[in-house]
């Protein structure tokens, strides 16, 4: 395991990676491709801070690691707090992505408007939304999926005029709630330049998609991305899916990054190396298939065959990472080490 001394030693010089400042007026990406941090990459550290009775400061932590941006919300929408928060982020030359609370009904729109206004004033270049959980775990049938998907579409329709008013873009993450073709078709129906995708590099493998196919489908709609590497392994009910340090998994990160930069040279990436137990993707169970339907929400057999072939072709070279059974201190050390490996890989191989 990497030591705390080593972590600090690596994080210190990492701040030299920061070049010129990111601009925070409207949607303008940094002047060169750079990587920020998503909150799920630091979930263990955040929990440790809460146990200690202190709030976790994402901005300070990501800056200390040499990251050039952060996905977090200001601590308050108070005007003075927003001003101070923006000054701190800009002093570190970091970009900011926020997660506002989207409106589920008309009565929520005013509060959403106020939050969007405050976060835009805090310097947010874009917003992020993960609108669903894992459909194959949380939903029991097609009707439940339809209800969920229709609610998500209603929510975004309510949010879109506010996003247009303040001229700030919302990236909806592919968060294991719908397949990429469903998300792309929805965005085309909506037809708004202010609503697009936060592309997660690995999530749609849980819905039997080749990550390169997900990229091809959602790439044209992508505003920014959650970057990670993934490893897979068979188990009795399907396959296990796990985030691993960049370069240790099965994803062609160089090609995926290159394709996104071809569409947008200054594409923003947020590190999302989640340190946890592998996720179970139970494709051989009846429950997994309960929300899919050939007419409304298809999952073709060829896609299942393709992803299972990927799983068998890419057997892990070492055991998938797990946190169960580790002490809180060991979990924290593992998360820190995983993130630093990713940062070093991205710096050396992905020009981040």
């Amino acid at each position: 395991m990497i030591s705390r001394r080593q972590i600090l030693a690596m994080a210190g010089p990492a701040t030299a990676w920061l070049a010129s400042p990111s601009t925070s007026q409207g949607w303008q990406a940094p002047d060169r491709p750079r990587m920020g941090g998503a909150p799920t990459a630091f979930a263990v550290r955040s929990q440790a801070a809460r146990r200690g009775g202190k709030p976790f400061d994402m901005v300070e932590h990501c800056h200390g690691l040499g990251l050039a941006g952060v996905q977090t919300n200001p601590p308050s929408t108070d005007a003075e707090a927003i001003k101070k928060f923006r000054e701190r982020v800009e002093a570190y030359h970091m970009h900011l992505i926020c997660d506002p609370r989207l409106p589920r009904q008309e009565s929520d729109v005013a509060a959403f408007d106020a939050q969007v206004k405050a976060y835009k004033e805090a310097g947010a270049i874009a917003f992020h939304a993960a609108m669903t959980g894992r459909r194959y775990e949380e939903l029991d049938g097609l009707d439940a999926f339809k209800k969920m998907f229709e609610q998500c579409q209603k929510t975004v329709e309510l949010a879109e005029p506010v996003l247009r008013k303040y001229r700030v873009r919302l990236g909806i993450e592919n968060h294991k709630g719908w397949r990429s073709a469903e998300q792309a078709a929805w965005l085309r129906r909506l037809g708004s330049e202010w609503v697009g995708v936060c592309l997660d590099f690995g999530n749609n493998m849980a819905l039997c998609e080749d990550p390169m196919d997900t990229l091809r489908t959602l790439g044209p709609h992508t505003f920014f991305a959650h970057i990670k590497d993934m490893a897979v392994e068979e188990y009795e009910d399907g396959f296990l899916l796990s985030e691993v340090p960049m370069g240790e998994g099965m994803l062609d990160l160089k090609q995926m990054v290159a394709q996104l930069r071809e569409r947008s040279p200054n594409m923003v990436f947020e590190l999302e190396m989640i340190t946890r137990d592998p996720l179970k993707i139970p494709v051989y169970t009846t429950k997994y298939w309960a929300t899919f339907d050939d007419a409304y929400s298809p999952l073709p057999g060829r896609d299942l065959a393709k992803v299972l072939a990927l799983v068998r072709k890419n057997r892990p070279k070492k055991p998938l990472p797990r946190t169960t059974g580790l002490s809180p201190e060991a979990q924290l050390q593992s998360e820190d080490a995983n993130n630093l490996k990713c940062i070093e890989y991205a710096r050396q191989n992905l020009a981040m």
Side-chain angles (χ1 to χ4, degrees):
M1 287 287 186
I2 192 167
S3 70
R4 180 64 181 164
R5 184 185 299 272
Q6 290 171 304
I7 289 168
L8 292 173
M10 291 175 70
T15 56
W17 309 347
L18 298 174
S20 57
S22 61
T23 50
S24 51
Q25 298 294 330
W27 174 251
Q28 299 181 49
D31 62 348
R32 68 179 180 85
R34 298 187 295 164
M35 184 169 70
T40 37
F42 312 104
V44 178
R45 181 161 286 281
S46 178
Q47 292 166 7
R50 287 197 298 270
R51 285 196 303 270
K54 298 179 181 179
F56 174 57
D57 193 326
M58 272 276 292
V59 174
E60 292 296 328
H61 189 67
C62 287
H63 174 65
L65 290 175
L67 293 172
V70 63
Q71 181 187 316
T72 191
N73 291 341
S76 167
T77 56
D78 173 76
E80 186 60 27
I82 288 291
K83 179 175 180 290
K84 290 180 179 179
F85 183 82
R86 178 171 184 153
E87 288 173 350
R88 183 159 62 105
V89 172
E90 290 186 342
Y92 289 157
H93 307 317
M94 299 173 79
H95 66 255
L96 173 67
I97 294 174
C98 293
D99 283 78
R101 184 174 181 177
L102 301 182
R104 290 182 58 83
Q105 52 195 10
E106 288 281 356
S107 60
D108 298 332
V109 173
F112 177 68
D113 186 293
Q115 196 173 49
V116 168
K117 181 176 185 292
Y119 290 175
K120 179 70 180 294
E121 289 174 351
I125 61 168
F127 294 150
H128 165 268
M131 302 183 70
T132 73
R134 303 165 195 147
R135 63 188 281 184
Y136 51 87
E137 292 180 355
E138 296 185 354
L139 305 177
D140 293 322
L142 182 61
D143 288 344
F145 171 74
K146 287 182 178 179
K147 183 178 179 180
M148 176 274 289
F149 196 28
E150 288 166 3
Q151 176 61 58
C152 289
Q153 293 175 74
K154 176 185 175 182
T155 288
V156 173
E157 287 169 3
L158 290 170
E160 196 278 339
V162 179
L163 299 168
R164 182 165 14 107
K165 172 183 174 182
Y166 291 103
R167 302 180 64 81
V168 61
R169 287 178 167 165
L170 171 69
I172 301 171
E173 185 175 345
N174 49 310
H175 203 249
K176 305 184 180 77
W178 42 68
R179 304 190 83 227
S180 59
E182 293 171 318
Q183 185 170 359
W186 166 25
L187 293 173
R188 287 193 295 269
R189 289 194 301 271
L190 184 66
S192 173
E193 65 178 300
W194 306 106
V195 182
V197 173
C198 165
L199 179 68
D200 184 285
F201 275 36
N203 276 349
N204 277 38
M205 284 198 73
L207 301 179
C208 295
E209 287 188 26
D210 181 326
M212 297 304 295
D213 291 338
T214 302
L215 173 61
R216 280 187 285 270
T217 302
L218 295 182
H221 306 279
T222 296
F223 294 157
F224 57 94
H226 278 178
I227 186 170
K228 59 179 66 170
D229 205 346
M230 308 299 296
V232 288
E233 184 177 22
E234 290 182 275
Y235 86 112
E236 59 183 3
D237 286 334
F239 64 94
L240 303 175
L241 181 64
S242 182
E243 289 87 356
V244 293
M246 291 186 197
E248 297 183 12
M250 59 169 288
L251 299 189
D252 188 345
L253 295 177
K254 294 180 183 179
Q255 180 63 21
M256 296 177 80
V257 168
Q259 288 192 22
L260 287 172
R261 285 179 176 160
E262 185 176 354
R263 295 184 181 278
S264 178
N266 291 322
M267 177 67 63
V268 170
F269 299 88
E270 305 298 309
L271 171 63
E272 196 185 32
M273 168 66 235
I274 308 178
T275 300
R276 60 181 172 185
D277 286 355
L279 300 179
K280 293 180 178 180
I281 316 300
V283 295
Y284 299 139
T285 66
T286 301
K287 174 71 162 55
Y288 179 86
W289 294 91
T291 64
F292 294 102
D293 175 82
D294 288 347
Y296 187 85
S297 182
L299 198 169
R302 63 177 177 272
D303 289 355
L304 171 65
K306 189 173 184 179
V307 81
L308 289 177
L310 284 175
V311 171
R312 289 165 186 163
K313 181 181 177 181
N314 293 278
R315 301 180 192 277
K317 297 180 178 63
K318 57 184 179 180
L320 299 182
R322 286 172 168 80
T323 56
T324 296
L326 296 181
S327 68
E329 293 76 14
Q331 291 185 34
L332 181 58
Q333 192 175 45
S334 179
E335 180 182 84
D336 284 343
N338 288 340
N339 284 327
L340 285 171
K341 288 177 184 177
C342 289
I343 293 168
E344 184 69 8
Y345 179 92
R347 181 172 68 91
Q348 293 184 356
N349 299 281
L350 304 175
M352 293 185 190

